[in-house]
Amino acid sequence: MITAGIDMGSRSVKVVLLEQIKVEGAKEPSFAVKKAHLMMPGDLDADQAAEKAFDTALAEAGVSRDQVKSVFATGAGRGQVAFATEGVTEMTAGARGAVFMYPQARTVVDVGAEEGRGIKTDSDGKAVDFAGNEKCAAGAGSFAEAMSRALQLSLKEFGEASLKSDKSIPMNAQCTVFAESEVVSLIHSSTPKEDIAKAVLDAVASRVCAMVRRVGIEGNVVLIGGMGHNPGFVQSLKNAMDVEEVLLPELPEFVSALGCALIAAERVH
Amino acid sequence: MNAEVAAATAAPEKKEFWRWQENTWFDETKNWKDAKIITCGIDVGSVSSQAVLVCDGELFGYNSMRTGNNSPDSAKNALQGIMDKIGMKLEDINYVVGTGYGRVNVPFAHKAITEIACHARGANYMGGNKVRTILDMGGQDCKAIHCDDKGKVTNFLMNDKCAAGTGRGMEVISDLMQIPIAELGPRSFDVDVEPEAVSSICVVFAKSEALALLKAGYTKNKVIAAYCQAMAERVVSLLERIGVEEGFFITGGIAKNPGVVKRIEKLLGIKQLETKIDSQIAGALGAALFGYTLMQKQAAK
């Protein structure tokens, strides 16, 4: 049986096709990720982007639409996925996906383009509590993105630069718009780019950490969402949360789509 | 995809739609050489810098221009812009007061005074001594000020932590829509039905929301109207925290945007006091008037 999970984020659409496979002697059903596909909506409308991302994933996996038993959608734009059977919240999908990948994880930190949140989960991957930013972009990827633009660094260079610094410069501005001016004035005062990059990522991490603390940091921590690709942020988050290890999936932005596909498979039965 | 969405999402050539035009004005019916005391106020704001000349306690002229990346230069250029036009030299000015966030960086100022005090004083001159509640909407902050009949500050509240409700938010929308900032206000009334306000508070989120509205088929004017309404609601909540007394007056760059001002008036149910003077110079005007008072006190000693 194949199911699909579609995560309609504010910046990108993630699709995971999941196949349930039978393993001899196993009690629990086993799953194989057939295909993951990411697409930036760019100039596409949300529903068009979802269609296109889904079709691309199907084509790459060599699966026809009829073979997909159920499609579940998550993310801020989940209501716009016309062909989805059902929608689940980002918290539900994120927790499910994270615990599937790391059964020992109990705290899920999800940092995407426009949202950051901390989720507390049980051993079944069921979200029991969460706290997030909804009003302000300061604890999310677009904050880091705006600052990397001001520093004229690619997101990759930005993360790597931050790792080269051991300075702790406090950022006074919390607002993304104001922080951009602050970064520019740091540039003008000849502060090395590495130090500014670290200051920015420390600031995002401390905001995210404050949200996670509201639900409590418990057990193993897993980081999901696109910001997981930024090694500087991962380091800053570790420091801010004062934990030795943050579990990091190879494709952190797909974890919620994966969780969504898993929930779809479980609900079919 | 409609043309407006294409225009907003495509990477446009680097054009800045958000900048106000620079301008200079002076009272041609008067000659500054006749004045006994000439004072100057310089407001170095985050976006624009203003230099105002006051002759014997009366507004004589001003120059408004963009703040550069150097406060002392911005202050100097703003003043030079008006002095050159009227043939005045720095030695002709008796007293200079600096204000605004860059006030400590006005090299030739005799004194620096906070913009809150200066805006209240300037509003008192512009709107008359009936002014009690002042809303100053600047480039990167927003203040609600209470003052007495002399223009003396009695209380104030400010929002300087978040760009929502400041000029910066309007600048972002102006660039996104690719419409010069001065046109936003008038265009916001060119809608059949007044739309719901943009729901996001954060400027970053509001920008995404505005794009989504365009994609959903809103016209540019309708998006602008929704944003003006959001801004009005935002600043009214700040005003309500301090309380609105009769004698309402708006200063700062956003006061030039009728799309926001008219909506604030509607939400509050009161009209602001009228003036013919450019609201953006309120801070610098107040600073120059403070300079005049100080000179008078010195002369009296």
XYZ file of all heavy atoms in Angstrom, chain B residues 69-124:
417
model
N 24.275 56.901 5.312
C 24.812 55.939 6.269
C 25.711 56.628 7.301
O 26.426 55.987 8.043
C 25.557 54.817 5.553
C 26.637 55.342 4.642
O 26.985 56.522 4.702
N 27.174 54.484 3.798
N 25.668 57.939 7.336
C 26.522 58.681 8.246
C 25.716 59.842 8.813
O 25.325 60.754 8.082
C 27.742 59.158 7.426
C 28.700 59.993 8.231
O 28.305 60.907 8.956
N 29.977 59.686 8.107
N 25.458 59.790 10.123
C 24.590 60.807 10.730
C 25.140 62.229 10.618
O 24.394 63.138 10.247
C 24.334 60.471 12.196
O 23.622 59.282 12.291
N 26.435 62.478 10.952
C 26.924 63.857 10.847
C 26.765 64.428 9.438
O 26.360 65.581 9.274
C 28.411 63.735 11.224
C 28.491 62.514 12.063
C 27.454 61.584 11.509
N 27.053 63.607 8.431
C 26.903 64.070 7.046
C 25.441 64.353 6.710
O 25.128 65.333 6.032
C 27.427 63.012 6.061
C 28.949 63.021 6.006
O 29.543 63.930 6.611
O 29.515 62.114 5.374
N 24.545 63.478 7.185
C 23.113 63.662 6.895
C 22.638 64.970 7.495
O 21.895 65.731 6.868
C 22.297 62.509 7.478
O 22.748 61.290 6.951
N 23.086 65.257 8.721
C 22.693 66.489 9.396
C 23.218 67.698 8.609
O 22.485 68.664 8.360
C 23.253 66.499 10.810
N 24.479 67.605 8.216
C 25.114 68.713 7.505
C 24.431 68.960 6.150
O 24.114 70.095 5.793
C 26.592 68.372 7.294
C 27.514 69.561 7.359
C 28.962 69.107 7.254
C 29.483 69.434 5.871
N 30.651 68.667 5.482
N 24.208 67.872 5.418
C 23.590 68.000 4.094
C 22.177 68.566 4.172
O 21.777 69.358 3.320
C 23.545 66.645 3.384
C 24.935 66.145 3.041
O 25.881 66.930 2.968
N 25.067 64.841 2.851
N 21.440 68.128 5.197
C 20.070 68.613 5.333
C 20.069 70.132 5.527
O 19.298 70.852 4.900
C 19.376 67.920 6.499
N 20.952 70.614 6.372
C 21.008 72.053 6.631
C 21.574 72.813 5.430
O 21.047 73.857 5.033
C 21.846 72.332 7.893
C 21.989 73.800 8.282
C 20.628 74.466 8.446
C 22.789 73.953 9.573
N 22.614 72.242 4.831
C 23.237 72.900 3.685
C 22.219 73.103 2.558
O 22.210 74.140 1.890
C 24.410 72.052 3.185
C 25.462 72.839 2.408
C 26.185 73.868 3.264
O 26.632 73.558 4.364
N 26.257 75.106 2.789
N 21.320 72.110 2.411
C 20.319 72.151 1.344
C 19.454 73.400 1.392
O 19.114 73.965 0.352
N 19.091 73.841 2.587
C 18.276 75.057 2.683
C 19.151 76.308 2.714
O 18.832 77.318 2.078
C 17.281 75.002 3.883
C 16.604 76.348 4.157
C 17.910 74.550 5.180
C 15.233 76.436 3.632
N 20.283 76.233 3.401
C 21.149 77.432 3.494
C 21.600 77.896 2.111
O 21.622 79.098 1.827
C 22.360 77.144 4.382
C 22.014 77.051 5.861
S 23.440 77.239 6.972
C 24.551 75.983 6.403
N 21.960 76.953 1.255
C 22.423 77.304 -0.093
C 21.353 78.067 -0.874
O 21.645 78.969 -1.641
C 22.816 76.042 -0.877
C 24.140 75.461 -0.386
O 24.804 76.147 0.416
O 24.475 74.329 -0.782
N 20.088 77.657 -0.674
C 19.003 78.270 -1.449
C 18.698 79.696 -1.009
O 18.199 80.503 -1.785
C 17.733 77.421 -1.344
C 17.853 76.111 -2.089
C 16.517 75.648 -2.631
C 16.686 74.475 -3.565
N 16.828 73.175 -2.910
N 18.975 79.991 0.268
C 18.620 81.330 0.757
C 19.851 82.169 1.074
O 19.732 83.279 1.605
C 17.688 81.245 1.989
C 18.350 80.435 3.122
C 16.351 80.602 1.629
C 17.555 80.425 4.404
N 21.007 81.648 0.752
C 22.237 82.408 0.966
C 22.587 82.623 2.424
O 23.060 83.691 2.820
N 22.334 81.593 3.232
C 22.640 81.689 4.661
C 23.913 80.900 4.956
O 24.235 79.939 4.252
C 21.457 81.123 5.459
C 21.557 81.295 6.971
S 20.223 80.411 7.797
C 18.953 81.658 7.836
N 24.628 81.316 5.994
C 25.815 80.561 6.430
C 25.588 80.089 7.850
O 24.764 80.653 8.579
C 27.062 81.450 6.364
C 27.503 81.768 4.953
C 28.921 82.315 4.957
C 29.414 82.588 3.545
N 28.596 83.628 2.860
N 26.351 79.077 8.260
C 26.186 78.503 9.597
C 26.347 79.590 10.688
O 25.654 79.570 11.701
C 27.189 77.363 9.804
C 26.993 76.451 11.018
C 25.587 75.847 11.040
C 28.031 75.348 11.043
N 27.249 80.575 10.426
C 27.498 81.647 11.418
C 26.256 82.519 11.626
O 26.135 83.194 12.650
C 28.643 82.581 10.966
C 29.957 81.884 10.671
C 30.056 81.414 9.233
O 30.437 82.180 8.344
O 29.727 80.214 9.021
N 25.367 82.518 10.638
C 24.163 83.342 10.757
C 23.150 82.754 11.738
O 22.216 83.431 12.150
C 23.481 83.500 9.391
C 24.381 84.214 8.397
O 25.075 85.162 8.818
O 24.400 83.822 7.216
N 23.334 81.477 12.055
C 22.372 80.812 12.936
C 22.835 80.945 14.378
O 23.985 80.657 14.709
C 22.218 79.317 12.557
C 21.760 79.200 11.095
C 21.237 78.602 13.476
C 21.732 77.797 10.555
N 21.918 81.382 15.249
C 22.290 81.625 16.632
C 22.374 80.357 17.475
O 23.175 80.277 18.394
C 21.286 82.590 17.292
C 21.230 83.897 16.558
O 20.410 84.056 15.651
N 22.099 84.827 16.905
N 21.496 79.416 17.196
C 21.455 78.231 18.044
C 20.946 77.034 17.246
O 19.995 77.147 16.481
C 20.530 78.490 19.243
C 20.818 77.629 20.451
C 21.753 78.013 21.406
C 20.142 76.419 20.629
C 22.013 77.216 22.515
C 20.396 75.624 21.732
C 21.334 76.032 22.677
O 21.585 75.244 23.771
N 21.602 75.885 17.435
C 21.201 74.665 16.725
C 20.875 73.564 17.731
O 21.650 73.300 18.650
C 22.323 74.168 15.784
C 21.881 72.898 15.044
C 22.721 75.244 14.786
N 19.713 72.940 17.565
C 19.321 71.818 18.423
C 19.166 70.570 17.564
O 18.514 70.602 16.521
C 17.994 72.117 19.164
C 17.527 70.896 19.956
C 18.149 73.316 20.087
N 19.776 69.486 18.012
C 19.656 68.205 17.294
C 18.613 67.332 17.956
O 18.441 67.352 19.168
N 17.901 66.550 17.149
C 16.934 65.587 17.705
C 16.893 64.357 16.795
O 17.590 64.289 15.796
C 15.543 66.241 17.885
O 14.697 65.332 18.598
C 14.894 66.567 16.554
N 16.049 63.387 17.185
C 15.972 62.161 16.394
C 17.000 61.151 16.874
O 17.816 61.455 17.732
N 16.955 59.954 16.306
C 17.845 58.905 16.810
C 19.314 59.239 16.586
O 20.190 58.808 17.296
C 17.448 57.542 16.236
C 18.257 57.062 15.055
C 18.972 55.862 15.118
C 18.312 57.794 13.863
C 19.721 55.427 14.044
C 19.046 57.355 12.796
C 19.759 56.175 12.891
O 20.498 55.747 11.820
N 19.602 60.105 15.610
C 20.985 60.490 15.366
C 21.346 61.832 15.988
O 22.281 62.490 15.570
N 20.579 62.250 17.016
C 20.737 63.615 17.541
C 22.116 63.881 18.152
O 22.584 65.006 18.142
C 19.648 63.934 18.559
C 19.651 63.048 19.796
C 18.523 63.435 20.734
N 18.401 62.530 21.849
C 17.664 61.432 21.837
N 16.984 61.111 20.766
N 17.604 60.648 22.894
N 22.741 62.825 18.699
C 24.057 63.068 19.306
C 25.144 63.197 18.244
O 26.274 63.530 18.532
C 24.437 61.940 20.307
C 23.550 61.998 21.531
C 24.364 60.575 19.651
N 24.767 62.923 16.999
C 25.736 62.991 15.911
C 25.544 64.208 15.019
O 25.838 64.159 13.834
C 25.660 61.720 15.059
C 26.303 60.550 15.763
O 27.336 60.705 16.401
N 25.682 59.394 15.668
N 24.973 65.270 15.579
C 24.890 66.509 14.815
C 26.061 67.375 15.297
O 26.014 67.922 16.395
C 23.536 67.231 15.056
C 23.459 68.509 14.229
C 22.373 66.305 14.684
N 27.145 67.423 14.506
C 28.397 68.000 15.015
C 28.298 69.467 15.432
O 28.971 69.875 16.372
C 29.376 67.819 13.856
C 28.583 67.431 12.677
C 27.263 66.934 13.133
N 27.465 70.243 14.769
C 27.428 71.675 15.064
C 26.262 72.057 15.973
O 25.953 73.231 16.134
C 27.368 72.483 13.762
C 26.426 71.882 12.750
C 25.088 72.231 12.743
C 26.883 70.944 11.834
C 24.217 71.656 11.830
C 26.010 70.374 10.918
C 24.687 70.723 10.914
N 25.615 71.050 16.586
C 24.484 71.356 17.466
C 24.981 71.826 18.825
O 25.979 71.332 19.340
C 23.602 70.119 17.628
N 24.265 72.791 19.402
C 24.601 73.265 20.734
C 23.991 72.370 21.799
O 24.422 72.339 22.928
C 24.081 74.701 20.932
C 24.668 75.679 19.967
N 24.086 75.962 18.754
C 25.813 76.407 20.012
C 24.825 76.848 18.099
N 25.884 77.129 18.837
N 22.959 71.648 21.406
C 22.212 70.862 22.377
C 21.462 69.747 21.655
O 21.118 69.890 20.478
C 21.199 71.799 23.076
C 20.547 71.246 24.316
C 19.599 72.312 24.887
C 18.774 71.769 26.030
N 19.538 71.466 27.232
N 21.225 68.639 22.377
C 20.404 67.557 21.821
C 19.180 67.373 22.711
O 19.291 67.402 23.932
C 21.204 66.266 21.755
N 18.008 67.224 22.102
C 16.762 67.045 22.846
C 16.036 65.835 22.260
O 16.061 65.631 21.040
C 15.871 68.315 22.747
C 16.597 69.512 23.377
C 14.522 68.100 23.441
C 15.840 70.827 23.301
N 15.387 65.041 23.104
C 14.720 63.836 22.595
C 13.623 64.186 21.583
O 13.012 65.255 21.658
C 14.046 63.006 23.706
O 12.895 63.709 24.158
C 14.984 62.717 24.844
N 13.389 63.259 20.670
C 12.388 63.521 19.634
C 10.980 63.570 20.205
O 10.083 64.179 19.628
C 12.485 62.519 18.482
C 12.284 61.068 18.832
C 13.595 60.354 19.121
O 14.511 60.993 19.692
O 13.693 59.169 18.785
N 10.791 62.940 21.363
C 9.447 62.955 21.962
C 9.089 64.392 22.371
O 8.020 64.901 22.036
C 9.389 61.984 23.157
C 9.554 60.564 22.617
C 8.081 62.106 23.916
C 10.095 59.582 23.575
N 10.014 65.036 23.063
C 9.790 66.433 23.459
C 9.639 67.326 22.229
O 8.768 68.203 22.179
C 10.965 66.905 24.316
N 10.481 67.089 21.222
C 10.456 67.940 20.029
C 9.179 67.761 19.208
O 8.632 68.736 18.682
C 11.674 67.667 19.158
S 13.210 68.236 19.927
N 8.705 66.522 19.100
C 7.476 66.303 18.336
C 6.284 66.975 19.014
O 5.424 67.544 18.352
C 7.212 64.805 18.137
C 7.827 64.291 16.887
N 7.222 64.398 15.659
C 9.020 63.710 16.663
C 8.018 63.891 14.731
N 9.122 63.470 15.310
N 6.265 66.902 20.345
C 5.164 67.529 21.071
C 5.198 69.046 20.844
O 4.173 69.671 20.575
C 5.270 67.193 22.555
N 6.394 69.619 20.931
C 6.538 71.050 20.746
C 6.180 71.449 19.307
O 5.479 72.438 19.073
C 7.981 71.447 21.078
C 8.273 72.929 21.005
C 7.610 73.681 22.138
N 7.763 75.123 21.987
C 8.754 75.830 22.528
N 9.657 75.234 23.274
N 8.817 77.125 22.330
N 6.654 70.670 18.365
C 6.358 70.941 16.951
C 4.871 70.820 16.664
O 4.289 71.634 15.937
N 4.233 69.791 17.253
C 2.801 69.578 17.043
C 2.005 70.736 17.632
O 0.990 71.148 17.078
C 2.371 68.257 17.671
N 2.475 71.254 18.737
C 1.828 72.396 19.384
C 1.851 73.618 18.455
O 0.894 74.383 18.368
C 2.549 72.695 20.708
C 2.053 73.966 21.380
O 2.542 75.046 21.075
N 1.090 73.821 22.276
